[in-house]
Amino acid sequence: MGVHLSVETSVTERSPPRLKAWETTQEPRLLVIGAYRMGFEIKPQSRGSLLRVFIDYDLPTSGAWRLVGRALGDWYARWCTAQMVNDARAHYGGAGESAGSRGLKP
């Protein structure tokens, strides 16, 4: 499509093996979302572990992409978190759920 995409992130929280979070460090050049914070938390349960995957994001800053973000941002956030849950499930086995969240700037 000829669109140059880029994103730089930095780990902001890390407590192996139970928690890791990262966020963008500069304004990203993405299509559907803008700056974001993403991560996971694992909590022991009586029969296994509970995995929580999260993403908080802003809409893109430019006008046209901001409209795309409004239309597809929630779907994309759910897709991203579901991918992380599916990867963990494939690697470790077991069931899991995902839920996207967002923190939008007006």
Side-chain angles (χ1 to χ4, degrees):
M1 291 178 34
V3 177
H4 297 276
L5 304 177
S6 67
V7 64
E8 291 184 32
T9 62
S10 178
V11 174
T12 57
E13 293 180 75
R14 186 169 182 268
S15 181
R18 64 168 203 86
L19 173 70
K20 185 173 183 181
W22 55 95
E23 64 186 34
T24 53
T25 57
Q26 298 177 2
E27 185 65 32
R29 293 179 55 136
L30 300 170
L31 300 179
V32 179
I33 63 172
Y36 67 87
R37 180 176 183 270
M38 187 172 194
F40 65 86
E41 180 178 22
I42 301 170
K43 292 184 178 180
Q45 301 288 300
S46 60
R47 293 180 44 175
S49 299
L50 175 68
L51 170 64
R52 182 179 76 95
V53 177
F54 63 88
I55 183 169
D56 297 308
Y57 66 94
D58 294 330
L59 293 174
T61 56
S62 68
W65 293 118
R66 191 171 179 85
L67 292 174
V68 172
R70 282 198 189 278
L72 300 176
D74 283 345
W75 172 84
Y76 184 72
R78 284 190 299 276
W79 180 83
C80 286
T81 56
Q83 292 304 304
M84 290 179 66
V85 168
N86 290 337
D87 288 348
R89 185 181 297 133
H91 186 73
Y92 296 106
E97 296 180 16
S98 66
S101 62
R102 67 177 179 176
L104 301 178
K105 293 181 182 175

